[in-house]
Amino acid sequence: MDSSQLLGITTFTYLFSTILYAVIFIFKAKKLGPAATIFTIVAFLVQTVGLLLRWKESYDMGFGHAPLTNMYESVVFFAWTIIFLYLLIEWKFKTRVIGAFAVPFAFLAMAYGSFAGGITREINPLVPALQSNWLLAHVVTCFIGYAAFAVAAGLGIMYLMKNMSESRQTTNDDTLLGTLPPLKIIDDITHKTMVFGFLWLSVGIITGAIWANSAWGTYWSWDPKETWSLITWFFYAITLHARYTRGWSGVRIAWLAIFGFVCVVFTYYGVNFLLAGLHSYGSS
Amino acid sequence: MKKNNPVFAFFASVKLALLILFLLATTSIIGTIIPQKESYQWYVQNYNESTANLFQVLSIPDMYNSWWFLGLLGLLSINLIVCSIDRFPGVWKQITADNLSTKISRIRKMRLSRNWDSAEDKTITTSVLKQKLGQKGWQVEERERDDDTLLFAQKGALTRTGVYIVHASILVIFLGAIVGEITGFKGSVMLPETKATDSIFTFDTRESIHLGFEVLCNRFDIEFYDSGMPKAYKSHLSVFENGKHILDKEIVVNDPLTYKGITFYQSSYQAYEQFLLTVTDLESKKTETVILPFQQQQTLTDLEGVRIGIVNAEAMGQTITNMKVWFDDGEGAASTFWLNAGNQATVERSGKKYSVAGKQMYATGLQVAKDPGVWIVYIGCGMMILGLFIAFFMSHRRIWILIGRQNETTTVILTGSANKNKNGFEETFYTLADTLAPDEEK
Ligand code: HEM
């Protein structure tokens, strides 16, 4: 069994998790809830082993490094972090159905990494510029932030769906969306998830700047990737202020959570493929 | 003056902050789409003349240094400063407030509260409560209020400054950037092996800057993985000051050399069609290094009578892997032999032995930066993370206990409040109430 097989299996288990949540959601099969959670935990463990194995394999090949250095590895880590955060939220806030909105993001990330053309899935050694612990810290912290924003976007979608059905006054405990937590709680968890993401994104930008300074002597050079991460950061800063000082909540925050994640996806993915810059290593 | 001065109110408003942040976020996009710092001609070619002129007027080609972008950052700073002047005194008042003088009527009306009666008399009840609170880490203060006794304890009063630490951190980072801009420079130098320099060229003005010392490149090497991918770029540098050798360091990408505040980063290289050969007479230990063009012989100066040349070479891409050396010391026929780049070979001549080491000649491309502001920026970054952590995850929690006497019984009112994470505090509050209240109240 090698890491690529395990990670391949992970893709399908996350697909199955997604389907399981959809079934619970559509057929109101609440009883399947624990099964979906347990299944997701198992998939998460398989992925964890896959990642660790990939790490070990790189050492066996003679140039060991953490599996966080190209597009494929970052997508896999992104999926891993989303599931980790989702399980954490489920445990902390004791709400189960959130998985229906978070797990699909992890599945999409894995599927993209596994099947999209133009992405190397091989383990490659590091070019000199990438041999840095600051880089490692930078990638890890950024992706924790990105994953939190993904979960927040999932919660935003959840909020809007529930809100729509409530305003049509069709919600009672038997309907499709009745199983979701109350709006106020979704709103609160969305906000907390964004706050968590904002802290990690800040640390991610800072460690990235320190890395750039140790490699080139400039902590900030306004290359497109840096600039987009700053744009994303401004965006979430606006969201936090709008909530904290102007009392925005509910539908507005839900939309901001979704739109913010669009910024994240562009920073992470769009910049590599649509714009050029120092960070173009991600496109290999 | 402050509150009713419209100019002050304008600059203190959060609405302005939201507008500025929005403008910064949206205008920043421009520079990620339109390539920056190209020449006027470039924009004319890639867009057209009138667009290029418009770009010029709006400073689009260098927008992150343009008057309007820096203006927005300046406005953000003013906004932050004025907003803090407006609000911080109030926050400080809350931090240093005398909570034992809180109105009794307010305490009675607080949302989080729990009442019970105590069988003990007032003094004993008070001292038991104080002791129990002390065990839970609450520092209790006490004051007599009319006939009642008021106890107060708080945690995390200073966490109210978290937001202000975040806001100040932004100003500190700006300050660091300005200090770096004024007192520092960024430049580069292409330094051939065996050569030294005492000046470098800046990026923006291409002017030459004197370092005040000399940097010598002894050697530059590239290492490869088996796949042919570059593994490491290494420059062996030495620093000399007033002719005195100061230090040696091998730098690689991510591990620069710093001397007197000036840092040298490994950033690029250039390969020459020339060779660097070092010949050592193994008896006299005399050694000499020469730069040899391809297929030209050269006479050494220190090693008498020795002539040397490269007659052939093998390359992998741009990189020479093997070279064929021609060697003559005037004693008998010349020797020719293959030498691996980076290795050395021993040449046995009639009676004499030499060692010859050879490699392709390179120049190392160094980025050179002096930025005394970078530490200020890093301090700002540290403040930001600290401040965010405090603002997001810590809160100011306060509890009051009012102990009175009514109809031969002791009455106790416990109240509390937190400025953040109110749900979390509610749990803490009720757990605390359970520990404080006598058993039958649970
Ligand atoms: C990029 C710039 C900024 C960042 C990163 C930032 C960050 C923050 C953070 C993290 C909070 C705490 C929010 C919470 O607890 O949920 C906050 C609150 C606040 N910010 Fe900013 N801020 C920025 C710019 C500004 C500006 C320019 C103003 C000017 C008016 C401002 C005014 C405020 C105010 C009034 C609060 C609420 C403070 C309170 O009453 O507790 N912020 N900010």
Side-chain angles (χ1 to χ4, degrees), chain A residues 191 195 198 202 233-234 237-238 240-241 243-245, chain B residues 11-18 20-21 24 75-84 87 91 160 162-164 166-167 169-170 174 384 387-388 391-392 419-420:
Chain A
H191 172 66
V195 158
F198 187 74
S202 308
W233 188 76
F234 281 141
I238 292 172
L240 293 184
H241 283 85
R243 185 184 180 95
Y244 200 72
T245 62
Chain B
F11 281 112
S13 79
V14 180
K15 267 190 198 158
L16 178 67
L18 292 176
I20 296 169
L21 290 175
L24 280 170
L75 212 55
L76 181 74
S77 311
I78 295 172
N79 192 193
L80 277 170
I81 293 169
V82 177
C83 176
S84 301
R87 290 172 186 247
V91 171
R160 283 185 188 267
V163 171
Y164 294 88
V166 176
H167 290 158
S169 76
I170 294 166
F174 286 172
M384 178 176 288
L388 285 174
F392 290 152
N419 68 332
K420 288 211 177 123

Side-chain angles (χ1 to χ4, degrees), chain B residues 379-400:
Chain B
I379 289 170
C381 291
M383 282 172 65
M384 178 176 288
I385 294 169
L386 177 78
L388 285 174
F389 187 85
I390 295 174
F392 290 152
F393 301 121
M394 296 170 92
S395 58
H396 181 196
R397 290 144 293 160
R398 291 181 289 183
I399 52 175
W400 289 265

Side-chain angles (χ1 to χ4, degrees), chain A residues 121-241:
Chain A
R121 284 170 275 274
E122 277 150 43
I123 305 179
N124 279 317
L126 294 180
V127 298
L130 304 186
Q131 299 162 8
S132 159
N133 288 331
W134 284 113
L135 175 69
L136 207 63
H138 169 57
V139 176
V140 171
T141 48
C142 278
F143 275 93
I144 295 174
Y146 292 170
F149 293 139
V151 174
L155 290 164
I157 294 170
M158 184 165 158
Y159 186 96
L160 292 178
M161 285 175 66
K162 175 139 180 147
N163 186 57
M164 224 153 55
S165 79
E166 283 198 352
S167 58
R168 278 200 242 98
Q169 294 180 336
T170 50
T171 312
N172 55 53
D173 266 4
D174 294 336
T175 58
L176 206 109
L177 296 143
T179 39
L180 295 179
L183 283 177
K184 255 186 75 179
I185 299 216
I186 306 176
D187 181 53
D188 185 49
I189 304 177
T190 312
H191 172 66
K192 288 193 165 125
T193 312
M194 277 199 280
V195 158
F196 181 81
F198 187 74
L199 178 66
W200 285 103
L201 178 63
S202 308
V203 178
I205 292 175
I206 290 171
T207 47
I210 297 175
W211 168 51
N213 194 46
S214 71
W216 298 292
T218 341
Y219 50 83
W220 197 261
S221 51
W222 293 105
D223 92 275
K225 190 108 179 170
E226 274 173 1
T227 308
W228 268 97
S229 69
L230 188 69
I231 292 168
T232 307
W233 188 76
F234 281 141
F235 182 86
Y236 283 102
I238 292 172
T239 306
L240 293 184
H241 283 85

Side-chain angles (χ1 to χ4, degrees), chain B residues 37-57 61:
Chain B
K37 301 200 174 175
E38 302 290 348
S39 68
Y40 173 73
Q41 284 312 318
W42 190 93
Y43 293 102
V44 173
Q45 273 163 26
N46 286 274
Y47 297 86
N48 58 49
E49 199 170 328
S50 54
T51 314
N53 287 336
L54 183 69
F55 283 179
Q56 222 65 24
V57 171

Side-chain angles (χ1 to χ4, degrees), chain B residues 286-339:
Chain B
K286 260 194 200 165
T287 186
E288 182 171 356
T289 301
V290 284
I291 298 166
L292 273 183
F294 191 44
Q295 292 178 337
Q296 276 182 35
Q297 58 166 277
Q298 194 160 321
T299 309
L300 301 192
T301 48
D302 291 355
L303 296 169
E304 226 164 289
V306 175
R307 290 183 302 156
I308 196 162
I310 302 288
V311 289
N312 202 351
E314 291 173 354
M316 190 176 80
Q318 288 268 5
T319 316
I320 305 285
T321 51
N322 261 322
M323 58 200 88
K324 194 170 190 184
V325 182
W326 177 92
F327 185 97
D328 186 21
D329 60 355
E331 312 273 331
S335 315
T336 53
F337 53 92
W338 282 95
L339 179 65

